[in-house]
């Protein structure tokens, strides 16, 4: 285990099993349909790439990625989303498509709520949210995931794509970061 990690919440094996189940659930719901699986960078890159390989062959899955950071230059910031930029990033229209947005963690929910509203304005055939982790205690927006792998407490999580200041994304497991490493900085790091 990495020395900055306090404890492992979910091992590689547990993640693999849960992502496989989530892939099966999505496959059952979208059998014979074409979907556009949209991964939210950077945190969902690992989850999205495992999830798309967990789908059955009778789901036609196109993938795309969007950036959605709550700071700096991004298509999503301060509760607004630039859908022209999102469509440019995806390289396709959203209208009439079955969209599944894959995100690493639903925390306050403000980012995904903003993205969801932006996508809905583009008249998709359907829109669902699939998250690796649900941190319910931190929720501010009224948003619930359609698919989720695991619940987590209100702690700072790293690994399997999730970072703290761009570190720890490469860890193959999901763990809790030692508190002394992020105390006093939790609101400045997203
Ligand atoms: P929200 O808008 O508060 O739901 O923010 C969601 C984003 O914040 C996620 O996509 C993550 O990038 C980041 N985030 C929230 N909680 C954590 C965490 O515990 N570890 C790592 N990143 C987190
Ligand atoms: Mg992040």
């Amino acid at each position: 285990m990495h020395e900055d990690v306090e404890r492992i919440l979910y091992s590689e094996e547990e993640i693999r099993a849960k992502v496989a189940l989530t892939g099966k659930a999505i496959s059952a719901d979208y059998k014979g349909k074409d979907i556009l699986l949209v991964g939210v960078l950077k945190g969902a890159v690992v989850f999205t790439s495992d999830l798309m390989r967990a789908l059955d062959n009778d789901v036609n899955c196109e993938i795309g990625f969007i950036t959605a950071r709550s700071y700096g230059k991004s298509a999503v910031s301060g509760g607004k989303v630039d859908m022209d930029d999102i469509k440019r990033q995806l390289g396709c229209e959203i209208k009439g498509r079955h969209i599944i947005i894959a995100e690493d963690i639903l925390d306050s929910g403000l980012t995904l709520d903003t993205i969801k509203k932006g996508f809905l304005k583009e008249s998709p055939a359907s829109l669902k949210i699939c998250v690796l982790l649900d941190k319910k205690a931190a929720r501010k927006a009224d948003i619930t995931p359609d698919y989720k792998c695991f619940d987590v407490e209100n702690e700072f999580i790293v690994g399997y794509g999730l970072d703290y200041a761009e570190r720890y994304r490469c860890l193959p497991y999901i763990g809790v970061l030692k508190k002394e490493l992020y105390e006093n900085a939790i609101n400045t790091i997203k």
Side-chain angles (χ1 to χ4, degrees), residues 104 163 169 189-190:
D104 56 353
D163 74 308
R169 290 194 200 276
I189 48 178
K190 281 185 195 166

Side-chain angles (χ1 to χ4, degrees), residues 27-120:
S27 301
D29 291 349
Y30 292 89
K31 201 173 164 56
K33 291 192 171 134
D34 292 344
I35 64 171
L36 175 60
L37 181 64
V38 178
V40 184
L41 294 174
K42 300 178 191 170
V45 72
V46 183
F47 178 45
T48 309
S49 62
D50 281 348
L51 184 64
M52 67 194 193
R53 286 177 289 175
L55 298 173
D56 290 348
N57 289 336
D58 49 10
V59 180
N60 295 314
C61 177
E62 183 180 334
I63 60 158
F65 289 94
I66 58 172
T67 54
R69 297 180 304 168
S70 35
Y71 62 92
K73 192 180 177 303
S74 134
V76 185
S77 98
K80 290 213 177 87
V81 58
D82 179 348
M83 287 310 292
D84 287 335
D85 189 19
I86 296 273
K87 282 188 274 182
R88 245 190 318 273
Q89 292 181 41
L90 289 174
C92 64
E93 287 298 315
I94 292 158
K95 192 173 160 57
R97 308 290 307 267
H98 292 291
I99 312 274
I100 301 176
I101 299 175
E103 173 64 309
D104 56 353
I105 185 166
L106 198 49
D107 187 50
S108 73
L110 296 171
T111 312
L112 264 187
D113 192 47
T114 305
I115 294 173
K116 189 177 172 181
K117 285 179 177 148
F119 270 80
L120 285 174

